[in-house]
Amino acid sequence: MKSHLRSRTNQLFLRVGCLALLSSCGLQSIPQAKNEVDATIAEVTNQYKRRADLIPNLVATVQGYASHEKDTLTAVIEARAKASSITIDPSNMSAEKLADFQKAQGNLSQALGRLMVVSENYPQLKADRNFSELQAQLEGTENRITVSRNRHIEAIKFFNNQVTVPMTSWTNSLVYHYQPLPQWNVDAAEEKIIQSAPKVDFGTKK
C-alpha cells in the first residue's frame, strides 16, 4: 500500500516537473509570443486603415472651404495612396519591408499635420460640424495607433527574447527555428505628429 502511494506521489512530482520544464524551456511560450506579435500587428494595421478611411471625407470637407490649397490636399491624397499600397505580412517580415511601411505611414502623418495647420486659417471650416467630427475621429485614431504600436513593440521585444535568450532559445533552435523580428521604429517627425494629434475645440472655451 505504501509503495503504491509512493509510486503515485513520484508520478505526480514527475508530471509537475515536466510541466515546469516545458513551460521554462519555451515549448509553449514561444508560439504564444508569436501569436501575440501577429495579433498586435493586425491591430496596428487596422488602426492605420481606419485613419486612411477617414481621409477622403476629410479632404472633401476641407476642399469645400479651401479649394485653392491644392498642393496640401494633393499631398494628403498621394500620401494616402502610397500608404495604402504598402502592406506588411507578419509571416514574411523583413527590416526593409517594415521600413518602407513605416516611411509611407510617416509621410501620411506629416501630410495630415500640414492639412491641420492649413485648416487653422479658415474659421468657417473649423466651425463646420462635419469637419469637427472628422477631427475628433482622427484624433482618436491617432491615439489608438500610438497605443497599438506600443503594444506591438513590447510583443516583438518579448518574442525576440524568447528566441535569442537561453533556455527558450535552445528550444527555438531545436523545434521552431524562428528568427528575431525587426523592431518597430518611429522617426522623430512622425512621433511629433502623433503626439500632437489634432485637438478638437467644441467652443466650450470662452
Side-chain angles (χ1 to χ4, degrees):
M1 181 70 178
K2 289 184 178 180
S3 61
H4 178 68
L5 180 61
R6 191 180 303 113
S7 176
R8 293 193 62 180
T9 302
N10 290 339
Q11 289 178 11
L12 178 61
F13 282 133
L14 180 61
R15 290 175 182 176
V16 171
C18 288
L19 288 173
L21 180 61
L22 287 174
S23 176
S24 64
C25 74
L27 203 59
Q28 289 182 322
S29 61
I30 291 174
Q32 288 172 344
K34 182 62 167 60
N35 290 342
E36 183 65 15
V37 169
D38 292 346
T40 52
I41 190 58
E43 179 60 20
V44 171
T45 55
N46 181 58
Q47 294 304 332
Y48 276 127
K49 182 180 183 302
R50 175 184 170 86
R51 180 175 71 170
D53 290 344
L54 292 172
I55 291 174
N57 284 340
L58 182 67
V59 169
T61 303
V62 173
Q63 197 168 24
Y65 293 91
S67 58
H68 57 283
E69 299 285 354
K70 183 177 179 180
D71 290 345
T72 303
L73 293 168
T74 300
V76 172
I77 294 170
E78 291 178 350
R80 176 186 182 272
K82 180 67 174 178
S84 298
S85 69
I86 300 177
T87 59
I88 47 179
D89 179 4
S91 65
N92 188 29
M93 182 71 72
S94 68
E96 292 76 14
K97 291 178 180 178
L98 181 58
D100 288 343
F101 179 82
Q102 291 179 261
K103 181 179 179 181
Q105 296 296 342
N107 289 341
L108 179 53
S109 293
Q110 293 178 46
L112 283 170
R114 289 190 290 270
L115 183 63
M116 293 299 104
V117 170
V118 165
S119 71
E120 294 295 320
N121 299 323
Y122 298 89
Q124 288 183 321
L125 171 61
K126 292 185 66 179
D128 183 278
R129 181 176 179 179
N130 188 47
F131 181 72
S132 294
E133 290 176 351
L134 288 167
Q135 269 192 308
Q137 292 179 53
L138 182 61
E139 177 186 4
T141 301
E142 295 287 10
N143 291 337
R144 282 189 288 271
I145 287 171
T146 300
V147 171
S148 61
R149 191 182 55 219
N150 288 342
R151 288 175 179 167
H152 183 56
I153 288 171
E154 291 302 314
I156 291 177
K157 185 188 300 182
F158 181 75
F159 173 81
N160 285 348
N161 284 338
Q162 289 285 300
V163 301
T164 60
V165 179
M167 298 173 17
T168 54
S169 64
W170 301 339
T171 301
N172 181 60
S173 297
L174 292 171
V175 180
Y176 298 115
H177 310 294
Y178 287 129
Q179 295 298 316
L181 295 172
Q183 183 55 280
W184 196 280
N185 182 39
V186 181
D187 62 36
E190 185 185 5
E191 188 63 33
K192 184 176 180 181
I193 294 296
I194 293 173
Q195 293 302 328
S196 58
K199 306 298 181 183
V200 184
D201 182 0
F202 290 102
T204 56
K205 295 181 181 181
K206 302 296 184 183

